[in-house]
Amino acid sequence: MLELHKINKSYTTGEFTQRALKNISLKFRKNEFVAILGPSGSGKTTMLNIIGGLDRYDSGDLIINNKSTKSFKNSEWDAYRNNCIGFVFQNYNLITHLSILDNIEMGMTLSGVSAKERKTKALNVLKKVGLFEHAHKKPNQLSGGQMQRVAIARALVNDPEILLADEPTGALDTNTSTQIMDILSEVAKDRLVIMVTHNPDLAENYATRIVKLLDGKITSDTNPFGEGVGATEEYKDGIKTKKTSMSFFTALGLSLNNLMTKKGRTILTAFAGSIGIIGIALILSLSEGVNNYITDIQKDTMLSYPITITSQTMDLTSFLQQGREASQGKKNVDHKKDAVYSDGSLFEMAKTMTNNIYDNNLRKFKEYLDDKNSEINKYVGETGIIYNYTTPFDVYS
């Protein structure tokens, strides 16, 4: 049901690259108790994480029930972890503010199981690990061995095909370790259990198969696939692909429960958030108020000093410039005392004035003013423009 085919995995830190797994090939039976032995840094936990879908391999292939995982999408990895894998960690990873029963039910929240069914399954699995009477206690009220049994119960509640245990007895005394190993041995009767451990005595006494690793390579395998019991078993194609989901009310309940367990932090966070929201609202209000005030001032100024546009306009700048040039030219004329000269300055000024008078296209401008979509409309509106009409009469005699 599970096969690692030429798996390689490396970790790079800066310029240094550490090869954790080197061309690992390993097949597992449907139900057996496999112990992975090796010193620290040999790649045991890395291999366990790759099997559980918590880490990705660099090359090779992880084959699950005859299906390659090379092209797995995130949703397929989620379905695999949620439906096929149960995890048991050395440090338990229990949620401290939830009861033992709630911790176990947490494993079923993404499986679409109803609240009533979740509770029934959780109580049944607590009976199997001997903690039924502690269902409503918090994790900090239990011993280390009891918390590890809760972790095993949480891993088993979804009835996974594979149970992965990373140093499950690493923090326990000898007597408690024996109890945990007895539970794992019972579990391995009807499913695959893969355990990472440093303790060779536990592996030899309980495991049906011991795989040793050293420097990322397999050095020995006491019962390789293809030999012994289960060597000819046939695998079914495909894996469980039940969609992972959480109902809205379940998510809301978990969120509220988490908020209420840390009231001080929740109150401080809410207070800080409200200060930020109020500050942003004040800044936006002040900005809007200043913009409106400036707009009102502009409108009042325009009303006090209106702009008048007539049908004709004179370019006074050009008129005055030409007048100065004509005056300057007159001063430079050399007059003879026995001659009479005409003074055409007034005529030139009149001519210059006439040349600097231009007609405005008021018809086109009025069409622009009357257009509701024109830019000027938002400043002057419908009452900011006044029209005066004249009727000139040309009388001839």
Side-chain angles (χ1 to χ4, degrees):
M1 66 177 299
L2 182 67
E3 178 183 353
L4 282 74
H5 181 67
K6 296 183 178 180
I7 293 291
N8 289 280
K9 178 64 180 178
S10 300
Y11 297 98
T12 301
T13 304
E15 297 181 356
F16 177 72
T17 298
Q18 174 68 40
R19 291 190 65 188
L21 297 177
K22 304 172 184 177
N23 213 35
I24 295 290
S25 292
L26 201 60
K27 290 184 179 181
F28 298 94
R29 298 173 178 85
K30 287 184 178 180
N31 56 287
E32 61 178 341
F33 193 168
V34 183
I36 310 295
L37 283 177
S40 296
S42 60
K44 304 185 305 297
T45 301
T46 300
M47 186 171 75
L48 205 69
N49 289 338
I50 288 176
I51 292 173
L54 298 178
D55 204 352
R56 301 289 187 270
Y57 47 86
D58 296 333
S59 63
D61 195 6
L62 174 65
I63 301 171
I64 306 165
N65 287 348
N66 292 333
K67 184 175 182 179
S68 172
T69 60
K70 285 183 178 180
S71 58
F72 260 28
K73 300 177 182 177
N74 288 334
S75 59
E76 291 177 295
W77 282 115
D78 291 339
Y80 168 65
R81 285 190 295 264
N82 193 52
N83 298 296
C84 298
I85 299 293
F87 294 95
V88 179
F89 301 98
Q90 179 180 352
N91 55 357
Y92 321 127
N93 287 346
L94 300 178
I95 303 174
T96 56
H97 65 266
L98 296 180
S99 68
I100 301 307
L101 185 64
D102 291 336
N103 267 278
I104 296 175
E105 288 186 22
M106 186 66 66
M108 295 179 282
T109 54
L110 292 177
S111 301
V113 182
S114 64
K116 184 178 180 180
E117 187 179 355
R118 287 203 305 266
K119 185 174 182 180
T120 302
K121 284 187 173 183
L123 291 174
N124 289 337
V125 77
L126 277 175
K127 288 180 181 179
K128 291 182 179 180
V129 297
L131 292 176
F132 181 79
E133 66 277 7
H134 301 287
H136 299 289
K137 289 184 178 180
K138 297 293 178 64
N140 56 14
Q141 296 175 298
L142 303 179
S143 65
Q146 289 174 325
M147 284 193 287
Q148 191 61 285
R149 279 190 276 170
V150 173
I152 294 174
R154 182 183 58 189
L156 294 175
V157 74
N158 271 333
D159 193 26
E161 298 176 10
I162 305 169
L163 184 68
L164 304 179
D166 187 6
E167 295 284 355
T169 61
L172 305 177
D173 57 69
T174 303
N175 185 44
T176 306
S177 297
T178 302
Q179 296 175 5
I180 297 301
M181 293 303 296
D182 288 336
I183 295 174
L184 292 177
S185 296
E186 186 67 26
V187 171
K189 291 179 180 180
D190 59 355
R191 73 194 74 222
L192 173 61
V193 176
I194 303 175
M195 178 186 69
V196 166
T197 181
H198 285 97
N199 193 328
D201 294 332
L202 289 178
E204 292 175 2
N205 291 333
Y206 290 94
T208 61
R209 180 181 178 186
I210 299 176
V211 178
K212 293 184 178 180
L213 290 181
L214 181 64
D215 296 331
K217 295 181 179 180
I218 297 175
T219 58
S220 67
D221 187 347
T222 60
N223 188 15
F225 186 90
E227 301 176 9
V229 179
T232 60
E233 65 184 7
E234 295 181 0
Y235 296 155
K236 296 180 181 179
D237 292 333
I239 63 172
K240 296 178 181 178
T241 56
K242 186 177 180 181
K243 184 179 179 181
T244 57
S245 62
M246 182 184 293
S247 68
F248 171 76
F249 292 105
T250 300
L252 182 62
L254 291 173
S255 301
L256 291 175
N257 191 16
N258 185 48
L259 290 175
M260 294 307 296
T261 55
K262 299 178 177 62
K263 295 180 182 178
R265 184 188 68 180
T266 302
I267 292 173
L268 288 175
T269 302
F271 180 69
S274 63
I275 290 177
I277 294 172
I278 292 172
I280 293 173
L282 288 175
I283 292 173
L284 293 175
S285 300
L286 181 63
S287 175
E288 184 68 18
V290 170
N291 288 335
N292 291 337
Y293 175 75
I294 293 174
T295 301
D296 292 339
I297 292 296
Q298 288 176 336
K299 288 182 178 180
D300 293 341
T301 303
M302 291 294 291
L303 291 175
S304 302
Y305 303 97
I307 297 174
T308 302
I309 300 176
T310 59
S311 59
Q312 291 182 330
T313 185
M314 178 183 293
D315 187 357
L316 291 178
T317 303
S318 299
F319 172 70
L320 295 176
Q321 179 67 25
Q322 292 177 6
R324 283 196 298 269
E325 292 175 356
S327 176
Q328 187 67 28
K330 182 179 178 181
K331 291 180 181 179
N332 296 331
V333 175
D334 184 18
H335 290 277
K336 295 181 180 180
K337 295 182 179 181
D338 59 347
V340 177
Y341 296 89
S342 64
D343 185 2
S345 60
L346 293 178
F347 174 77
E348 292 295 332
M349 289 180 64
K351 182 180 178 182
T352 301
M353 184 182 296
T354 304
N355 291 336
N356 285 282
I357 295 177
Y358 304 98
D359 290 328
N360 292 319
N361 190 348
L362 296 184
R363 181 185 299 276
K364 191 70 175 179
F365 186 58
K366 187 175 185 301
E367 291 177 359
Y368 170 73
L369 296 177
D370 293 340
D371 185 4
K372 299 294 183 181
N373 298 321
S374 64
E375 184 180 1
I376 199 172
N377 247 283
K378 64 182 179 181
Y379 298 108
V380 298
E382 297 180 355
T383 60
I385 302 174
I386 299 175
Y387 298 100
N388 289 323
Y389 298 92
T390 58
T391 308
F393 293 94
D394 295 328
V395 180
Y396 298 92
S397 61

